[in-house]
Amino acid sequence: MGAAAGAALTAHRGPRGAVRGALLGAAALAAVDTVARARQRPDEIPAVWSRIAASGAIAAPAGWVAGKAGASPLAVGVAGGAIAGAMGIRPEKVALGPVVGLAVGAALRGRPPAQVAAASVVAFRTLSQLLFREPQVTLVAGKAPAGRLPFVVPLEARTRYVGTGYVRALAEATGGVYREAAPDVGIVASLDALHGPDFDPAAVDPLVREFYEHTTRFTLDIVPRWRPWVRPGYLLYRTLVARPLGQANVPMNLREAQQGVHSRIDTISDPDTAVVSTRGWIRSYATTGEPIYVGVYTTYRHDDRGYVSVGFPLPQANFTATLAPRQRPDGGLRLTSRGDGQTGHYLSYIDPTSRDLSTLAVHGFTESLDVYVTAGELRADHAFTLFGLPFLTLEYRITRKPAADR
């Protein structure tokens, strides 16, 4: 990477200049990496200055290619800043990126595009580091057994596509007893597992308890309410990531949601005890069968508190949301990712041989799920925020199925 960056930065000096640049770039980036790793502590990601240097090295060849395609230094600067800002995810960073790129592109209008691209990315990342001090991700564990991280669901997809057949494939891989669309089963075995200082299951409305413990008795209608500012980014994510993965493919609008949602829970049981060990709640579009969510629901206890962890399998990885229960005064239940050191969102790579986890905590992304009864009807509101800015609320109308369909 360093060699490619050095060659791109000095290509305007001719072949010999590019060769010298490649050698210098390789040596410089190797030195940066060596120093950063020497100072890196266990369960820490490399120092931010080394990551900034690496991002500049990545940007330089891209800028060189853009210049060869006819892009002006100003356009390269704006594009470089915009891409760096978009990768920052945080809305303020998304807005800041093209502004920094424009300023750098204007200041370096006479320089080669590769230099402008690298400078734009480095300038943006340096400025954003000064303005936004809190980290977006932190390394929880570099390589740890799953038992050390109870808030992570250590189940990955073994193929590039997750899809509605995930639990079946997992059962085949683990030797468990698979049951598709298990009848009269819930996403949790019992709400009593969540008892703690902030939640008393005995105070929950019976209809809310029934929904959690016997989810398959109900059908769900969904109304997505997206904030306008996030729609373009979600459309890009959905096209490039969600649909190819067969995972986290939320309806874009009410028209899509009106296709209807098919909901089922697939289970895996221990072949010796018949105890259900895995509950996969699978939601898909009723008309097409295309997956919306494939989530594995688990509960665990820590320091006399109960938690719900929902694992969303990804290829050789898992994205887990760990939520704490909170009492609602109306007898409802709130699950929230805000709370203590257990709750939050975690992205884990799962080693296929050792099963060890390499886990990042993803900060700034929060969610809360409220299930409650109003006017005798069951409702749910699932709200998401990004660095404090609300961007999506999923409103559910939950109705009981006819007895013959359960």
Side-chain angles (χ1 to χ4, degrees):
M1 184 167 63
L9 291 170
T10 56
H12 63 288
R13 296 180 179 175
R16 290 186 178 181
V19 171
R20 287 194 295 269
L23 294 174
L24 288 173
L29 202 60
V32 167
D33 184 66
T34 299
V35 173
R37 291 187 181 278
R39 300 181 62 181
Q40 185 179 355
R41 297 177 181 177
D43 290 343
E44 281 187 352
I45 58 178
V48 65
W49 54 267
S50 68
R51 303 199 308 271
I52 291 175
S55 62
I58 293 171
W64 179 83
V65 171
K68 286 296 182 182
S72 68
L74 184 62
V76 169
V78 172
I83 293 171
M87 293 180 68
I89 299 177
R90 184 171 184 153
E92 298 92 334
K93 290 187 177 182
V94 174
L96 180 64
V99 175
V100 173
L102 178 64
V104 172
L108 302 180
R109 192 184 297 268
R111 304 302 300 170
Q115 296 180 7
V116 175
S120 296
V121 171
V122 169
F124 164 76
R125 293 212 56 192
T126 302
L127 182 59
S128 65
Q129 182 66 25
L130 294 173
L131 294 176
F132 310 109
R133 305 295 296 179
E134 69 277 14
Q136 291 187 196
V137 297
T138 54
L139 184 64
V140 177
K143 195 172 185 181
R148 271 187 51 197
L149 307 175
F151 42 81
V152 172
V153 178
L155 297 175
E156 77 280 29
R158 291 169 168 81
T159 61
R160 293 184 179 180
Y161 187 78
V162 181
T164 58
Y166 170 76
V167 179
R168 179 193 298 273
L170 179 63
E172 292 173 353
T174 59
V177 178
Y178 170 72
R179 187 164 191 181
E180 181 177 344
D184 203 27
V185 68
I187 52 177
V188 300
S190 172
L191 281 187
D192 294 336
L194 303 182
H195 185 277
D198 300 312
F199 178 65
D200 179 8
V204 172
D205 188 290
L207 195 55
V208 174
R209 176 185 279 268
E210 184 183 5
F211 170 73
Y212 274 97
E213 297 178 352
H214 303 277
T215 312
T216 56
R217 294 179 181 177
F218 299 87
T219 186
L220 293 83
D221 293 314
I222 182 173
V223 176
R225 301 199 183 278
W226 291 92
R227 296 298 177 98
W229 63 268
V230 81
R231 284 177 176 270
Y234 176 70
L235 182 60
L236 184 64
Y237 155 81
R238 186 186 194 191
T239 302
L240 299 180
V241 179
R243 280 181 164 162
L245 278 181
Q247 177 66 289
N249 180 23
V250 180
M252 187 72 183
N253 50 47
L254 184 58
R255 179 177 56 82
E256 288 186 353
Q258 286 175 339
Q259 296 182 40
V261 176
H262 177 68
S263 172
R264 75 174 198 256
I265 296 179
D266 292 358
T267 62
I268 301 175
S269 302
D270 185 284
D272 298 322
T273 65
V275 174
V276 173
S277 58
T278 303
R279 301 163 187 264
W281 193 11
I282 299 167
R283 282 159 284 179
S284 57
Y285 292 101
T287 56
T288 65
E290 187 178 17
I292 298 174
Y293 276 122
V294 179
V296 176
Y297 283 69
T298 65
T299 61
Y300 75 97
R301 297 191 63 78
H302 177 77
D303 287 346
D304 202 32
R305 296 174 183 267
Y307 298 89
V308 175
S309 288
V310 187
F312 299 97
L314 302 170
Q316 212 54 55
N318 189 286
F319 184 77
T320 299
T322 292
L323 311 172
R326 296 289 185 266
Q327 211 86 47
R328 282 178 53 113
D330 58 2
L333 167 59
R334 169 174 292 176
L335 295 176
T336 176
S337 63
R338 298 179 184 272
D340 49 36
Q342 299 288 304
T343 56
H345 296 87
Y346 304 94
L347 180 63
S348 301
Y349 167 77
I350 303 170
D351 188 286
T353 303
S354 68
R355 308 298 301 164
D356 286 343
L357 305 178
S358 300
T359 299
L360 294 172
V362 182
H363 305 294
F365 180 65
T366 60
E367 63 178 295
S368 63
L369 172 61
D370 287 81
V371 180
Y372 56 95
V373 177
T374 179
E377 295 187 343
L378 199 56
R379 294 286 187 271
D381 298 324
H382 200 170
F384 301 85
T385 66
L386 190 62
F387 293 98
L389 296 177
F391 70 90
L392 170 65
T393 299
L394 300 175
E395 298 177 356
Y396 290 94
R397 181 173 177 267
I398 306 171
T399 54
R400 191 184 299 276
K401 295 178 182 177
D405 296 336
R406 296 178 191 171

